[in-house]
Amino acid sequence: MDNLLEEYLNPLPYQLYTDVKEGTLGHVIQPYIDEFPEWTSADIALIGVPEGRYANGNAKTSTAPDQVRKELLRLSNHFSSLQLVDLGNIKMGEIPEVTQGHLINVLVNLMQEDVIPVLIGGSIDLGYGMYKAHTLHNQNIEVSAVLPRVYLEEDEVIHRICMDEPNHLFNLNLLGFQSHYADPEDVHVLEKMFFEPYRLGVLKSRMKDAEPILRNTDILLFDIGAVKQADAPGNFNNNPSGFSSEEACQLAWFTGVGEKTAAMGLFEINPEFDYRHTTSKLGAQIIWYFLDGVHSRTGDHPKLHKEFVKYRCTLNDRHPDIIFHKSKRTDRWWMEIPNIHNPANKQTLKIPCTYGDYQQATRGEMPDRFFKALQRMPK
């Protein structure tokens, strides 16, 4: 199996892992330099994708993987229970689509062994390869994308994921889009599909609300352009407004601690425009907080234990009852989503929610989160 992965990966330059200090991530990560590391028992696999040909005015993002690595390897190792490997960089194809194929083949093998890939891009269009690999193993996939703009043109990653066939997309969360960069019609299209676009201002005013959004995520796509220019200057398409560096790290931690998250990708860092490697340093910190989230998992999900208190809320005769689950371990909430399109199918989905959703249901009101999930249930 190792040989199969080696076919699609280039080893790293020896200099990257020289002079790493004890107590840092560089000291514990097993890298692909001379020999391919034993990866099947790893928890996390770092993979660089130096593919910038998709990028809009940001082609030098292809140089980001090794620069972000330099900064990541210097950070402290707080993750004694995590096994980390660095599998090097995906081999570039003659055209970007060949690179996507290499990426998909690597990710499929990692997911078969429950190894979480952390991608360092490259263009965010590589997120389509992440999604495509996931569809080969799973249905009802939830994708979260931290983006400054709403991208619905045919060749953009969000459009490609939404229109992919056969369609396994259960939900799409767009976090941090800015109204002045969004066509209202594009936002309306997403809402008509019962997906979840969240404006930057809404999330910044209530960052804790991002936790239940990200708790159910299978794949996180993080465009560094969603961070304000002052904190992340290394991006051709950046702008003065956006998430702060601290908020970006918080989003990564929320995603990592979610039990479902199976892949994370960081994209659009361009060292050509970076000031004193500020953006590469932030990229490294975003990955570090994602690792910290994975390290902090407690197995808190209705599929993983039975320490829950159940509450049933009746709305009215025209709507199904809502069953809530409150974890005794963490006080976090979930709710059951029945399949209204196929009542004979008694299988329900359990999705994260908030105490506020429960309070709303006790007043006989249907939470918006419940309504949208009902509409998205497979027909």
Side-chain angles (χ1 to χ4, degrees):
M1 192 176 290
D2 288 356
N3 291 335
L4 179 61
L5 291 193
E6 283 186 77
E7 180 182 348
Y8 303 109
L9 291 155
N10 286 320
L12 296 163
Y14 180 78
Q15 296 84 347
L16 264 179
Y17 278 85
T18 55
D19 299 325
V20 291
K21 295 182 179 179
E22 191 170 351
T24 64
L25 285 176
H27 194 257
V28 298
I29 294 174
Q30 299 298 310
Y32 177 25
I33 297 176
D34 297 319
E35 296 183 4
F36 203 78
E38 202 297 307
W39 57 271
T40 56
S41 60
D43 299 295
I44 305 285
L46 298 175
I47 303 170
V49 194
E51 176 61 84
R53 287 173 288 182
Y54 285 114
N56 177 23
N58 210 34
K60 289 293 185 180
T61 189
S62 61
T63 64
D66 286 357
Q67 186 59 51
V68 173
R69 278 187 176 99
K70 288 180 184 178
E71 305 300 339
L72 180 64
L73 302 183
R74 298 172 181 170
L75 301 183
S76 297
N77 173 33
H78 290 200
F79 319 121
S80 56
S81 65
L82 290 183
Q83 294 189 47
L84 308 171
V85 296
D86 188 339
L87 300 183
N89 292 326
I90 294 287
K91 291 180 179 178
M92 295 298 96
E94 292 184 3
I95 58 175
E97 287 72 19
V98 174
T99 306
Q100 286 274 28
H102 294 172
L103 175 62
I104 290 170
N105 284 324
V106 171
L107 295 182
V108 166
N109 281 277
L110 291 173
M111 291 176 181
Q112 284 177 338
E113 300 294 330
D114 294 324
V115 180
I116 300 174
V118 174
L119 266 60
I120 310 172
S123 162
I124 195 169
D125 295 86
L126 295 162
Y128 176 70
M130 296 177 67
Y131 171 76
K132 197 66 179 176
H134 211 73
T135 62
L136 301 179
H137 291 288
N138 297 284
Q139 297 182 357
N140 297 326
I141 298 168
E142 185 147 346
V143 176
S144 292
V146 182
L147 296 167
R149 298 168 174 83
V150 177
Y151 305 90
L152 288 189
E153 292 81 5
E154 272 193 36
D155 59 340
E156 298 287 357
V157 62
I158 297 304
H159 182 274
R160 297 181 72 192
I161 289 174
C162 289
M163 302 307 294
D164 190 59
E165 294 291 343
N167 192 286
H168 297 302
L169 183 64
F170 176 71
N171 192 22
L172 173 67
N173 303 302
L174 293 187
L175 288 79
F177 82 89
Q178 300 175 38
S179 296
H180 45 275
Y181 290 133
D183 185 332
E185 182 57 32
D186 287 346
V187 177
H188 182 59
V189 167
L190 292 173
E191 291 174 339
K192 282 176 64 177
M193 299 170 74
F194 303 104
F195 291 151
E196 306 275 4
Y198 295 92
R199 287 193 301 109
L200 174 69
V202 171
L203 281 181
K204 285 180 71 72
S205 65
R206 300 195 305 268
M207 279 298 293
K208 65 178 183 179
D209 288 355
E211 187 277 323
I213 299 167
L214 292 166
R215 196 193 314 162
N216 215 42
T217 290
D218 294 291
I219 301 167
L220 175 69
L221 312 180
F222 201 116
D223 181 341
I224 202 67
V227 180
K228 62 184 178 181
Q229 182 178 9
D231 289 2
N235 178 279
F236 178 78
N237 300 303
N238 60 19
N239 58 88
S241 52
F243 289 113
S244 69
S245 56
E246 295 86 358
E247 290 164 342
C249 292
Q250 191 172 7
L251 293 173
W253 192 89
F254 283 154
T255 308
V257 81
E259 302 289 342
K260 279 190 64 187
T261 305
M264 179 260 195
L266 177 66
F267 305 103
E268 300 292 340
I269 293 176
N270 188 338
E272 182 180 30
F273 300 107
D274 211 2
Y275 171 71
R276 297 181 62 183
H277 308 305
T278 299
T279 316
S280 296
K281 290 175 181 176
L282 175 58
Q285 291 177 21
I286 288 170
I287 293 172
W288 192 96
Y289 276 94
F290 177 79
L291 299 180
D292 190 54
V294 175
H295 183 254
S296 302
R297 291 180 178 182
T298 60
D300 188 39
H301 190 281
K303 290 184 177 180
L304 301 177
H305 69 91
K306 297 182 179 180
E307 299 172 45
F308 288 87
V309 180
K310 283 188 180 183
Y311 302 87
R312 180 184 293 270
C313 294
T314 301
L315 302 182
N316 56 50
D317 293 338
R318 295 182 294 109
H319 297 113
D321 291 354
I322 306 180
I323 299 174
F324 290 88
H325 300 252
K326 180 185 178 184
S327 171
K328 294 180 181 179
R329 294 184 181 182
T330 62
D331 289 339
R332 295 193 297 182
W333 291 78
W334 282 261
M335 56 184 167
E336 289 190 32
I337 310 299
N339 194 329
I340 59 172
H341 307 298
N342 183 9
N345 184 352
K346 299 300 182 182
Q347 187 174 3
T348 62
L349 285 181
K350 296 181 180 67
I351 69 167
C353 63
T354 66
Y355 177 58
D357 292 320
Y358 168 71
Q359 288 180 306
Q360 189 175 356
T362 61
R363 298 193 296 268
E365 303 169 7
M366 180 179 290
D368 186 57
R369 198 189 310 267
F370 182 78
F371 173 75
K372 288 184 177 180
L374 276 180
Q375 309 310 313
R376 294 195 303 264
M377 288 295 283
K379 292 181 172 61

